Each structure stands twice: as structure tokens, then as C-alpha cells.
């Protein structure tokens, strides 16, 4: 029986797992940056960077697919390719 990957450890209320080649990631990150959020509110993790070990978790929450952006919230919930408005609303709920 395969084991479920553990949820990545994060320090921010919102963690966006993204890739530079992904237009949806680029749009979400740009929209969040335009929102001028407080320092540390959002962490952007490049899933292509050496040493990043989130891909198995990403696949586990997306029916086996490595879909980015996948967003992890500090309450343990997640969203796949959410609009920035949803991420900002969730961030407000977390605070």
C-alpha cells in the first residue's frame, strides 16, 4: 500500500507551489504581488528548484496529477489553480 506524502512544512499563511513556465502560476503570483500583502503572508515555492520536495504532495492532492499552481493554506487546506481573489479571501479568513 503506497504511503501518502506528508504535507510540506511552510511558515507562511499561504504557500503557492508554482513553476516559472506556467502561465497560471505567473498570473496568480503577479496578482498576489499587486495586492501588496504584508511581508511573510505569502510564500512562493518554485517546484522546479533543486531540493524542493513538494511534487509528490502536489500529485497526492490533485488525483495523481502534478498541477501548478497548487496553494497550501496554514490551516491545512489547499486549492488548485485558484483565482487571486479566492486566495486573498482565504488569507483574510486565516488572519
Amino acid at each position: 500500500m503506497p504511503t501518502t506524502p506528508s504535507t510540506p512544512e511552510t511558515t507562511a499563511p499561504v504557500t503557492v507551489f508554482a513553476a516559472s513556465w506556467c502561465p497560471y502560476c505567473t498570473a496568480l503570483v503577479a496578482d498576489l504581488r499587486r495586492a501588496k500583502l504584508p511581508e511573510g503572508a505569502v510564500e512562493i515555492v518554485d517546484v522546479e528548484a533543486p531540493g524542493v520536495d513538494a511534487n509528490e504532495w502536489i500529485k497526492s492532492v490533485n488525483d495523481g496529477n502534478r498541477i501548478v499552481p497548487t496553494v497550501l493554506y496554514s490551516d491545512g487546506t489547499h486549492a488548485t489553480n485558484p483565482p487571486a481573489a479566492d486566495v486573498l479571501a482565504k488569507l483574510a479568513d486565516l488572519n
Side-chain angles (χ1 to χ4, degrees), residues 18-73:
S20 61
W21 48 261
C22 169
Y24 302 107
C25 299
T26 303
L28 177 59
V29 169
D31 288 345
L32 294 175
R33 287 194 173 131
R34 272 193 291 279
K36 299 193 187 302
L37 298 168
E39 184 72 30
V42 177
E43 178 181 4
I44 310 299
V45 176
D46 180 355
V47 297
E48 300 289 329
V52 173
D53 190 24
N55 289 309
E56 290 305 311
W57 175 80
I58 291 168
K59 290 192 300 190
S60 77
V61 298
N62 289 298
D63 297 321
N65 298 303
R66 186 174 163 257
I67 300 172
V68 288
T70 295
V71 179
L72 174 62
Y73 300 106

